[in-house]
Amino acid sequence: MIPEHLERTICAVHGARGVQWLADLPDGLAAIERRFAVKLLAPYPNLTYNLVLSALAEGGEKIVVKLNVPNQELRTESQALQLHDGHGYVRLLGGDADLGVLLLEKVCPGIPLSQVQDDDTAVEIFCGVLQAQKRVDASRADFPALDDWGKGLERIPEGKMPAARVERARRIYRRLLETTQETTLLHGDLHHDNILSAGDGWVAIDPKGVIGDPHFELIPFLLNYLTGQAQLRTRIERICAKTGLDPGRVTAWGFAHMVLSAWWHVEDGTDGYEPALQTADYFEELLGGITRWD
């Protein structure tokens, strides 16, 4: 039922709780079917952090069931989906985030944006999804903020990562927070595989739900399926021209976040440290020398 690589990730991220959750999973799946009147089917391919299954609701409707060890990210995803209520997002149908269970509408045809081969077309679709989302004022009592995420940079021990790069990332991250003029509830992970075709449009799935600067929302898309620095520059220029966002500010967020992302891979014991640092290099080269965010 559950792919081996996903088992390893769940154990790495959740430790002993993850090991126990996996051991209890067969009984847990049966309990979910009884409580929510669903029939669980096969898992989706290419899973990373969550177990996502096809399912049938009581009336035969095709739905999606998302499962994991109960955790705060799953709770904030549930809350974010409720607040957006289908405006540019998949609809939340039910579940219990405190039990680690979300019931979601099945998006049809559900082709991920990563299947669009032409990058210019993918950029246009991304901009459309970005602009279709409503601005949501959310409470910090319910959601983390970018300054909470940034505390990860302060946890990096001396000698674990290149010192000059870490110090610059800390400095830029702080400056970006100080100069943020507007905040909203962000998706927080709006990349190609979290954007699916839906009828004659596209919708977002899997929001992390984080409060912060709208410039940050571009970063996951920019770094995904990236062929090099030239493509990164083009993406930034085209998206900012379409949305009116500041390309320099987007680039600064990209550098600081990729250093943070590299450290998260170390903390979680997951793959991706070296690619994250490589992408941080791309952003830093686009930033150039001393900037107004240093």
Side-chain angles (χ1 to χ4, degrees), residues 112-122 125 192 225 231 235:
L113 184 55
S114 57
Q115 296 299 306
V116 175
Q117 299 300 310
D118 180 68
D119 200 60
D120 289 346
T121 302
I125 292 170
H192 298 65
Y225 297 100
Q231 187 184 56
R235 284 179 174 179

Side-chain angles (χ1 to χ4, degrees), residues 198-248:
D200 58 356
W202 297 78
V203 297
I205 63 170
D206 295 350
K208 287 189 177 295
V210 59
I211 298 169
D213 182 351
H215 291 79
F216 179 87
E217 193 77 296
L218 277 59
I219 307 306
F221 177 86
L222 291 173
L223 60 89
N224 219 36
Y225 297 100
L226 187 64
T227 60
Q229 189 185 85
Q231 187 184 56
L232 177 61
R233 182 194 300 274
T234 299
R235 284 179 174 179
I236 293 172
E237 290 174 349
R238 294 194 66 233
I239 295 172
C240 288
K242 188 84 172 176
T243 60
L245 295 170
D246 179 346

